[in-house]
Every structure is written in C-alpha cells, then in structure tokens.
Amino acid sequence: MSNDLILRFAMSERTPLLHYRLSTSVNEQSGEHQQCLPGDAVERIPAISRRRSAPSSQPKKLSTFFGVVIPTLLSMFSVVVFLRIGFVVGQCGLYQAIIMFLVAYLIISMTVLSVCAISTNGALDAGGAYYMISRALGPEFGGSLGVMFFLANVCSSALFVLGLVEAIMASFGRPEDGVSTASTLQVLPAGYWWSLLYATGILLVCLLVCLVGAEIYAKATFIIFLIVMVVLATVFISFFAVHPHIVNLPPPSQPVSNDTGPPPPTVANFTGFKLDTLLGNLGAHYAVDYTTGTMMSFATVFAVMFNGCTGIMAGSNMSGDLRNPSYSIPRGTITAVIFTFITYNLLSLLVACSCDRVLLQRDYSFLRDINVWHPFVTIGVYSSTLSAAMSNLIGASRILYALARDDLFGTVLYLAKKTSRSGNPWVSVLISWFLVQLVLFSGKLNTIASIVTIFFLLVYAAVDLACLALEWASAPNFRPTFRYFTWHTCVLGIVGCAVMMFLINSIYASAAIAFMLLLLLLIHYLSPTSSWGYISQALIFHQVRKYLLMLDVRKDHVKFWRPQVLLMVSNPRSSVGLITFINDIKKSGLYVLGHVQLGDLDSLPSDPLQARYDSWLSLVDHLNIKAFVNLTLADSVRHGVQHLLFISGLGGMRPNTLVLGFYDDCPPEDKLTDPTYVSFKPTDPSVIPTQDPEEECPTYHFSALRESSGVTGGGRLDSGKVLGPQEYVAVIADAVKMSKNVALARYFHQFDRASTLSSAGKGALYVDVWPVNLMRPDSSSYVDTCSFFLLQLACVLNMVRAWRHARLRLFLCVEEGRSMRGPEEKLGHLLKQLRIKAHVYPVPWDLQVALHWQRQGDADKTRPPCQSPKEDEFEEEGDDDYVNSFPSNATRVSDEYLSAVNRLILDQTCPPPAVRFLYLPRPPADTRRYTSYLRQLDLLTKGLGPTLLIHGVTPVITTDL
C-alpha cells in the first residue's frame, strides 16, 4: 500500500486503526525506528507531506538482483578470482587453501547472519553497515566504526584499482630493464610513476560513473556482471578444453639478490589433469612474492585472499538506493556468498590438478595463458576489478554522506551533506575519490591488502557486536524477520574476526583499534545527544534487573550498610549547597532527589510533572552528582513525602534516610545564575508556580525548575509557607514510624562546597559531632543507635576523597563535679573499636543543666497536687517498639536552657567547622506539641551555620569483622 493511500485512509474517520500504520510507514521512509502512538499520527500529517518532497525520501529504484546480488558478486570476485586464486593455491597448497576459504567464509557467514538480522529489524537508510551499527550501538561506536568502514572502502577501492593496473601491465606493460619482447602488445612504459598515472586514469573513470548516480552505476555493473560470468564460464571450460603446454613466466618486479642460488625460472607447465600435479600441490610451500620481494606466510596469504570475501557489504552499502532494503539485503547477500564460496573452492581444485606450483607462484595472470582465448580473462579481470573499485568508491561516499548527515563531527563534514537534484551525494563522492587517490601512492596491491583486511574485519566484528548486544538486551522491539542466528553465531563471528586481525598483522590491528577508541572518545565528548537509542541503556537495564532480583533484603547485614538518601527538594535553585553535600555522604548508596507538587490529577488535563523530568536531569548533570529524580503529585506535602517514602527505589535499593530542609524564615537564594546554563533573570521567590504544563519551560535549561511545593530551604512559596509547622513535624514523625532515619538540614544555603573544600589544604577543615541528646540534659548517654548513626555519617563524610583532610571533633558533654577522664577514655576506646579517627573534646555543661533543673523546680511548685510530672510527657510509647522508645522532650526543656546550649555550641567554634552533626530527638507523641518541638529545634540550632540534625532508627555500625 502506498503512502498516499495510507494518508487518505488515515484522514478518514472510518479507519482509525490505520493511524499507527501511517506513523510507522513515515518513520520507515525517513530511516528512523521510532514508532508514534496512534494519537500522534494525525498531528504528524503536515510533516509527512514536507518529508515526501525531500530528495532523501525519493522512492528507491534498485531491486534485489541489481542492488545487492550483482554488486556483492563483483566485489567478492574482483581480484582474487582472476589474479590471486593461483597465488593462494601455489603458496599454501590445496589443503590450506580450502582451510583458508572455510575460515574466511565462516567469519563472513557469521557476519552475514548478523547483517540479515539487523537489516530485517526495521527500515534502513543510507550508510549500510554504518547505519546498522550506529542505530544499534549508539553514536559513539557507530561514528567511530563508520569512519573505519569508510576508510576500509577507500583503501579497498585503491586496492582494486591497483589490481587492475597490475593486470594491464601484465598484458601491455614493457619491462623496466628495456629488454625487447616478442609481443607487439607490450607497449606501455612501466615504473612506479607510470603505474600511478594509469591508476589515476582508471580512478577518474570510476569517479565519473559514481558522479552520475546509482542508476548508471547499476546499469554499468549489470553489463560488467554479464561479462564476468561469461569469462568465468570460459575459465572452467579451459581446464578441460586446453591441451597441456609450456607457459612463459613474467620477469620478477623486484630485483633478485646476488647470491649463489639458482636463477628464477622463466617457464612453467600447464599439465592438464594429472594426479602427480595434484599431489605436488596439496601441501604448503611458501616462497617470495615476485611482485613485492617479500616472503609469504599463512597470515600474509590469508590477508590477500580475504579481500575476495570483503565484498559482503557491497549490497548493504546501497541500502539508501534499494527499493526494499530489509527484503533485498538478506536474500541478495546470502545468494552471493554461497555462489562465490562454491566458485572459489571448485576453481582451487581445478587449478591444483592442472598447474605446476612454479606456474602458480610465478605468474598471477596464468589463467589468461591457459584460456581458450587469452583476451577473455583479460577482459574479465578488467571488468571485475573496475566494478569492485566503483562499488567501494560509491559505498565509501554513501557512508561519508550518512556520517555528515548525522552531524557526529559537527561542521567538519558539512560540505559532505550536499546532494544533487536526484539525491546523489556528489561532494562525498569527490572527497572519497581524493582519499582513494592518496592511497594509490602505496603502489602495490599486496602492500595495502593487510590494512584493508584488518579494517573490514574490525567492521565485521562491530556488526556482530551490534547484533549480539541487541540479542542480549532482550528488547521487545528487536524482532527481526530473519531468525537464522543466535548469540552463539555473533560471538563466533567476533572471536574469529579478532583472532584473524592479530594473526594477519598485530601492529596494524592494535593501531586500528587504538584509532577507533580515539574516535569513540572524540565523538563521545563532542557530538550532540542523538535520538537513535543507546544499546548500552538496554543492556544496563537488562543486567540491573537481574541484579536487583538477586539483591535480597533478607540478607542485609549491618557490616554492609550504606546511606540511601531521599532528599526532599522544593526549590532546587536555593538548594544547591545541600544537594551537593548530601551527594558526598551517600557513600556509593542510593541518592534520590524528591519533589512534591501540589495538585489533583483529576482536575488537570495531563500530568504536569512529565515535562519537568528533563530539567531535573539537567540539574543533576550540571551539578555532577550521582542521583535519581522522583517527582510526585499530591494534595499535600505530607502525603507526597509518604508516597515517595513508600515507592522510591526498587527491591533492595530503597531509601533508608530522609533529608529535609529546616523549617525557618531564611529567604531562598538563587545558586544557578551561571550565564552558561541560564539565559533569564533569577526566579523571583514570590512568583507562584503554574500548575499548567503548557506554561512550563520544556527545554533542558534550569528555567523549568521553578519554585514549587516541597520541603527544603524554608519551604517557601509566595510570601508564606507551603506547609505549616504541624504538617512539617508530622512528616518527620511519619518517617520515624516507617523506620526511616531522618536528617534536618539547616543553613545549607550558606554552604559552598568549592570554597569550603579549598580550605582543606590550609588544615582548617573541621566537622563537629555532638552525639549527645542536648534536649535530654538528664541523660548524657552517647551509646545508643542515634549516636552511632551520627558517628557513622561523620565517618562516611570523612572517607570521601574531597573530605579526607577534614578533622572530626567529637564533643562530649560532662559535668565538672564528675571525673572527665573516665568518659573521655571510654569514648576514645569505643572510637578505636569502631575504627573512627576523631579528637574527643570534653565540654562542661553544668551551667546549662542547672538552668534546666531550676526551671523544672519552678514548674513543680506551680503544678496542681493531683498532677504528676510524667503526665506532661504524654508517653504513649510501647516498650517493644523501637521507634516509640524515646520519651517526648517537647515540654521538658526551657527556652533559656536551649539558648544556653546554643551559646555553648557556638563557643566551641575556634576554628569554626564546615558542618555540624547534632542529635535530633524524635517528635513528641502528642501532636499538639509539634509546634513547641519545632520552636525548640529552632532555638537549639540558631546561628550555627550548616547543621544536620540527625535521628537514626536502624543499627548502622559494628565492631565485628
């Protein structure tokens, strides 16, 4: 069904189910794999019309046979079938030659299966293997391997051009030593620069064909294909029709060393089918290559032979010009691979049965001399190599065009995007032609054969890796119609490619991998974020899910406890100091930024929080913290915090500590005024945030992080509070009831991490810990769960690399009438057992305790006789419930006592600490005393600077191994 017909049906009210087909078809046409929801299809109809008029979305014209089978066959035959089949058998023998073909075709077959799987999983666009890899593995791997594949095609095109020059010189070249020959056809002057001139002329012919476009290329390759098939048929006939005779050998291209060895032979025999000839060609006999003068080995011969197998991507490279890439690429590629494999092995057997080894080693053009009509092979060599050169040149240009269109390298490849009216990327063709011309300066086919082979092997391994990653990720959208592959075939292809790379040339292989990694890092840091999808995210999800299921909460142990923090943030602009500080004390634990927005989903057209997630994630990236974001919509802040405490995390990774900003009147300060990230005036604290998502800034800037309902930094909204003191303390009480540790952060709007840590080098960085419940002067015990929790958090902070130079100061409140040495030694011994390095400072607090008891005595005098002191405490706690084991303290201390304790803490500030850790008593059981409890906390911490009031309810520390 055409897109026009689908469009008309989609516009009809009677065919609502076709909306989804419409969106899918359009995405296939543009090369994207995204699928829109049915409701989005109608909104995209105007964009569809615009896309259809673009050159990139013109209908594809090449069929399976013309677009895949013919280019792949010609690329795979090319040099090897006519110029190097005798070289392979002559050097390696028939046994090793067949083994080479089996190994090579095993590697490429595994890659072909991966290519077929990826190509049938969605719509393909221009770029071939690059498009497959980039859309599967992401822009980093795709871009780096795309460059490698581009260079492989460039070098391969140069290789085939040099092969054609070699064939021309074998027929028409005049010997360099000036010796006259009997042949009247050898008229072309020989030499390096003459060969370069001939190669340049051939490359210009390829350039002209590629500049015209894919249509003329397909027609030209079809004519060449017919010629090659006719020539190949005559080659097979010649082994049976031609009588045995003597063949004159060409002179060596490299000078022979002046040693006492015999001179190189000048003639060899074509024996016809003889058993002795076959037996003589079964084993390996490596000798010097007469064209380069280098000694051959299994690896070097395999490198040359493998170039006859590197054409499997020729059809994939034409993906942008195919009528139906997902249909054509698998069928055409598999057909070409099977045909070439049978041809190579059959031809090797015939050669081994009828030709002397000397003929195979000393004359790479021997098929011409034994053919029924000599010019036949010459025409076949010229045609196949010319076609292969054009195929790789046009393939390189399509890869470069795809790289440029994806903007992975910024403006460097801007010109490569330009196309003609017919959609041919002529600038990319010119750039590819120029690079091929540079490679031609290498001069010899066998010189660059190893480089080309390693580049192709690296790309093939990447295609197998892409398919393996998609298979292992178990993504529901990976459902290729081609199912004849498994992860075993992918792994086998990767291992085979890697092993052969290092067997061929370990130096070239290492350099290619290093270059690819350098490109990967360059693209990772310079390229923009793509919308293709990252396979790494799918793999991480797959593994994390398995590990979360293995993380059994029943196996938790205090030895491996770590903070898992839920930090409630109302105004992220004024909470930067607290957000960065909590990031330091999480100790590789879970860190969640929570936010509550007031509202009722029933009265809203959509969830207003969805548009804010990107802005929150941008904040996380900007602050360089490792945190998750969890937003909720609730009718009150208290209910919102309850939601987050219940649902945050997954499995064994759930927050165990709730951090709230303190409830005070400190005005919020904008800490995100960096002009690099913010292009607007700082948010006015008095502005009431809208509940309409359409009015929110949908960009990745921090302007969308406007002040909203939540708990931190005073919890201000408009000119007042978003919640009252009663609700604020109720949030604390709820967390304690849920067995969550609680920390209240005060004055962290004054905390600047950079300036604070810069003083560490001067030895002036201190962290003060007060492990005694200062609101219980009648109990100076520091050996309880809450005190240990304070010590643990302070120790965790001290273990962070940036805080390692901080000194922990532990203040021990004692009475002067008692011995200070005993409690100090006891606490020091406890710290030693806990492996906590801290300095203990005894602090007399007799005066403060006296104030407390004096107030208690005055209260006893005014209390009615029928009322006992315990009636004021409202202790309704049960002995078995830990979270209710502490008595209420809200009415037991006076304001004078709290002010005196506050002054006592301030007196111990020489030098002043970067942060203080104080003991937070649990809220009173009587909800009517919440306001009094909050006022007492305010008096206790007034003017102390950055302070954490901490209440711990779970054991977090142990002295056991």
Side-chain angles (χ1 to χ4, degrees), residues 434-454:
F434 176 74
L435 293 178
V436 173
Q437 182 64 53
L438 293 180
V439 179
L440 290 178
F441 282 93
S442 62
K444 292 295 179 183
L445 183 152
N446 287 7
T447 304
I448 60 175
S450 298
I451 300 174
V452 174
T453 302
I454 286 174

mmCIF file of all heavy atoms in Angstrom, residues 434-454:
data_model
loop_
_atom_site.group_PDB
_atom_site.id
_atom_site.type_symbol
_atom_site.label_atom_id
_atom_site.label_comp_id
_atom_site.label_asym_id
_atom_site.label_seq_id
_atom_site.Cartn_x
_atom_site.Cartn_y
_atom_site.Cartn_z
ATOM 1 N N PHE A 434 39.251 11.657 -3.697
ATOM 2 C CA PHE A 434 40.526 12.280 -3.320
ATOM 3 C C PHE A 434 41.316 11.391 -2.363
ATOM 4 O O PHE A 434 42.539 11.216 -2.515
ATOM 5 C CB PHE A 434 40.254 13.639 -2.675
ATOM 6 C CG PHE A 434 41.492 14.326 -2.164
ATOM 7 C CD1 PHE A 434 42.396 14.904 -3.050
ATOM 8 C CD2 PHE A 434 41.758 14.385 -0.813
ATOM 9 C CE1 PHE A 434 43.543 15.521 -2.583
ATOM 10 C CE2 PHE A 434 42.896 15.005 -0.338
ATOM 11 C CZ PHE A 434 43.789 15.581 -1.230
ATOM 12 N N LEU A 435 40.640 10.784 -1.397
ATOM 13 C CA LEU A 435 41.333 9.913 -0.447
ATOM 14 C C LEU A 435 41.823 8.635 -1.123
ATOM 15 O O LEU A 435 42.915 8.140 -0.807
ATOM 16 C CB LEU A 435 40.402 9.577 0.716
ATOM 17 C CG LEU A 435 40.022 10.758 1.617
ATOM 18 C CD1 LEU A 435 39.058 10.313 2.709
ATOM 19 C CD2 LEU A 435 41.268 11.371 2.250
ATOM 20 N N VAL A 436 41.039 8.084 -2.050
ATOM 21 C CA VAL A 436 41.499 6.913 -2.791
ATOM 22 C C VAL A 436 42.747 7.257 -3.587
ATOM 23 O O VAL A 436 43.703 6.466 -3.661
ATOM 24 C CB VAL A 436 40.384 6.388 -3.715
ATOM 25 C CG1 VAL A 436 40.912 5.271 -4.614
ATOM 26 C CG2 VAL A 436 39.202 5.894 -2.907
ATOM 27 N N GLN A 437 42.752 8.453 -4.158
ATOM 28 C CA GLN A 437 43.928 8.883 -4.915
ATOM 29 C C GLN A 437 45.168 8.941 -4.033
ATOM 30 O O GLN A 437 46.276 8.559 -4.450
ATOM 31 C CB GLN A 437 43.658 10.257 -5.535
ATOM 32 C CG GLN A 437 44.782 10.797 -6.394
ATOM 33 C CD GLN A 437 45.035 9.945 -7.628
ATOM 34 O OE1 GLN A 437 44.123 9.665 -8.397
ATOM 35 N NE2 GLN A 437 46.273 9.519 -7.824
ATOM 36 N N LEU A 438 45.013 9.360 -2.806
ATOM 37 C CA LEU A 438 46.153 9.384 -1.890
ATOM 38 C C LEU A 438 46.652 7.974 -1.583
ATOM 39 O O LEU A 438 47.866 7.737 -1.504
ATOM 40 C CB LEU A 438 45.761 10.088 -0.585
ATOM 41 C CG LEU A 438 45.460 11.580 -0.667
ATOM 42 C CD1 LEU A 438 45.091 12.123 0.716
ATOM 43 C CD2 LEU A 438 46.657 12.352 -1.225
ATOM 44 N N VAL A 439 45.723 7.027 -1.411
ATOM 45 C CA VAL A 439 46.120 5.649 -1.100
ATOM 46 C C VAL A 439 46.848 5.024 -2.282
ATOM 47 O O VAL A 439 47.712 4.141 -2.086
ATOM 48 C CB VAL A 439 44.887 4.815 -0.712
ATOM 49 C CG1 VAL A 439 45.272 3.368 -0.418
ATOM 50 C CG2 VAL A 439 44.202 5.413 0.507
ATOM 51 N N LEU A 440 46.564 5.481 -3.492
ATOM 52 C CA LEU A 440 47.206 4.898 -4.668
ATOM 53 C C LEU A 440 48.719 5.094 -4.656
ATOM 54 O O LEU A 440 49.448 4.389 -5.373
ATOM 55 C CB LEU A 440 46.621 5.497 -5.950
ATOM 56 C CG LEU A 440 45.181 5.103 -6.288
ATOM 57 C CD1 LEU A 440 44.722 5.807 -7.553
ATOM 58 C CD2 LEU A 440 45.054 3.595 -6.453
ATOM 59 N N PHE A 441 49.218 6.027 -3.864
ATOM 60 C CA PHE A 441 50.660 6.255 -3.807
ATOM 61 C C PHE A 441 51.402 5.073 -3.172
ATOM 62 O O PHE A 441 52.622 5.008 -3.240
ATOM 63 C CB PHE A 441 50.968 7.528 -3.025
ATOM 64 C CG PHE A 441 50.741 8.782 -3.812
ATOM 65 C CD1 PHE A 441 49.528 9.445 -3.754
ATOM 66 C CD2 PHE A 441 51.732 9.302 -4.634
ATOM 67 C CE1 PHE A 441 49.311 10.606 -4.487
ATOM 68 C CE2 PHE A 441 51.530 10.461 -5.371
ATOM 69 C CZ PHE A 441 50.318 11.110 -5.303
ATOM 70 N N SER A 442 50.658 4.162 -2.516
ATOM 71 C CA SER A 442 51.310 2.982 -1.942
ATOM 72 C C SER A 442 51.910 2.099 -3.025
ATOM 73 O O SER A 442 52.908 1.414 -2.789
ATOM 74 C CB SER A 442 50.319 2.172 -1.107
ATOM 75 O OG SER A 442 49.260 1.704 -1.923
ATOM 76 N N GLY A 443 51.284 2.068 -4.206
ATOM 77 C CA GLY A 443 51.909 1.467 -5.360
ATOM 78 C C GLY A 443 51.629 0.014 -5.629
ATOM 79 O O GLY A 443 51.571 -0.395 -6.786
ATOM 80 N N LYS A 444 51.513 -0.861 -4.611
ATOM 81 C CA LYS A 444 51.347 -2.287 -4.833
ATOM 82 C C LYS A 444 50.110 -2.813 -4.124
ATOM 83 O O LYS A 444 49.793 -2.400 -3.003
ATOM 84 C CB LYS A 444 52.577 -3.056 -4.347
ATOM 85 C CG LYS A 444 53.830 -2.797 -5.160
ATOM 86 C CD LYS A 444 53.667 -3.299 -6.592
ATOM 87 C CE LYS A 444 54.913 -3.027 -7.417
ATOM 88 N NZ LYS A 444 54.758 -3.436 -8.823
ATOM 89 N N LEU A 445 49.469 -3.793 -4.772
ATOM 90 C CA LEU A 445 48.247 -4.389 -4.229
ATOM 91 C C LEU A 445 48.511 -5.072 -2.894
ATOM 92 O O LEU A 445 47.794 -4.868 -1.919
ATOM 93 C CB LEU A 445 47.674 -5.366 -5.256
ATOM 94 C CG LEU A 445 46.359 -6.084 -4.963
ATOM 95 C CD1 LEU A 445 45.683 -6.403 -6.294
ATOM 96 C CD2 LEU A 445 46.551 -7.358 -4.185
ATOM 97 N N ASN A 446 49.553 -5.908 -2.854
ATOM 98 C CA ASN A 446 49.819 -6.671 -1.637
ATOM 99 C C ASN A 446 50.268 -5.795 -0.479
ATOM 100 O O ASN A 446 50.251 -6.217 0.672
ATOM 101 C CB ASN A 446 50.888 -7.738 -1.912
ATOM 102 C CG ASN A 446 50.339 -8.873 -2.753
ATOM 103 O OD1 ASN A 446 49.211 -8.790 -3.225
ATOM 104 N ND2 ASN A 446 51.122 -9.923 -2.949
ATOM 105 N N THR A 447 50.686 -4.553 -0.758
ATOM 106 C CA THR A 447 51.152 -3.669 0.305
ATOM 107 C C THR A 447 50.004 -3.224 1.196
ATOM 108 O O THR A 447 50.144 -3.131 2.423
ATOM 109 C CB THR A 447 51.852 -2.432 -0.305
ATOM 110 O OG1 THR A 447 52.906 -2.871 -1.159
ATOM 111 C CG2 THR A 447 52.411 -1.536 0.785
ATOM 112 N N ILE A 448 48.858 -2.922 0.600
ATOM 113 C CA ILE A 448 47.722 -2.416 1.391
ATOM 114 C C ILE A 448 46.698 -3.499 1.680
ATOM 115 O O ILE A 448 45.678 -3.217 2.311
ATOM 116 C CB ILE A 448 47.037 -1.236 0.674
ATOM 117 C CG1 ILE A 448 46.509 -1.684 -0.708
ATOM 118 C CG2 ILE A 448 47.977 -0.061 0.549
ATOM 119 C CD1 ILE A 448 45.715 -0.604 -1.414
ATOM 120 N N ALA A 449 46.952 -4.717 1.220
ATOM 121 C CA ALA A 449 45.973 -5.784 1.436
ATOM 122 C C ALA A 449 45.741 -6.029 2.923
ATOM 123 O O ALA A 449 44.598 -6.227 3.363
ATOM 124 C CB ALA A 449 46.448 -7.070 0.754
ATOM 125 N N SER A 450 46.818 -6.026 3.729
ATOM 126 C CA SER A 450 46.671 -6.279 5.167
ATOM 127 C C SER A 450 45.859 -5.190 5.842
ATOM 128 O O SER A 450 45.006 -5.461 6.697
ATOM 129 C CB SER A 450 48.050 -6.394 5.824
ATOM 130 O OG SER A 450 48.776 -7.470 5.286
ATOM 131 N N ILE A 451 46.103 -3.934 5.464
ATOM 132 C CA ILE A 451 45.375 -2.823 6.078
ATOM 133 C C ILE A 451 43.887 -2.925 5.758
ATOM 134 O O ILE A 451 43.026 -2.767 6.635
ATOM 135 C CB ILE A 451 45.951 -1.478 5.584
ATOM 136 C CG1 ILE A 451 47.435 -1.368 5.948
ATOM 137 C CG2 ILE A 451 45.169 -0.310 6.169
ATOM 138 C CD1 ILE A 451 48.104 -0.144 5.377
ATOM 139 N N VAL A 452 43.577 -3.192 4.490
ATOM 140 C CA VAL A 452 42.170 -3.300 4.086
ATOM 141 C C VAL A 452 41.485 -4.435 4.830
ATOM 142 O O VAL A 452 40.359 -4.294 5.341
ATOM 143 C CB VAL A 452 42.068 -3.513 2.564
ATOM 144 C CG1 VAL A 452 40.626 -3.772 2.160
ATOM 145 C CG2 VAL A 452 42.617 -2.303 1.831
ATOM 146 N N THR A 453 42.166 -5.568 4.931
ATOM 147 C CA THR A 453 41.578 -6.726 5.596
ATOM 148 C C THR A 453 41.295 -6.444 7.062
ATOM 149 O O THR A 453 40.234 -6.797 7.587
ATOM 150 C CB THR A 453 42.517 -7.935 5.470
ATOM 151 O OG1 THR A 453 42.751 -8.196 4.083
ATOM 152 C CG2 THR A 453 41.899 -9.168 6.111
ATOM 153 N N ILE A 454 42.227 -5.795 7.742
ATOM 154 C CA ILE A 454 42.044 -5.501 9.169
ATOM 155 C C ILE A 454 40.892 -4.523 9.371
ATOM 156 O O ILE A 454 40.070 -4.680 10.287
ATOM 157 C CB ILE A 454 43.356 -4.958 9.760
ATOM 158 C CG1 ILE A 454 44.365 -6.106 9.905
ATOM 159 C CG2 ILE A 454 43.116 -4.292 11.111
ATOM 160 C CD1 ILE A 454 45.728 -5.670 10.329
#
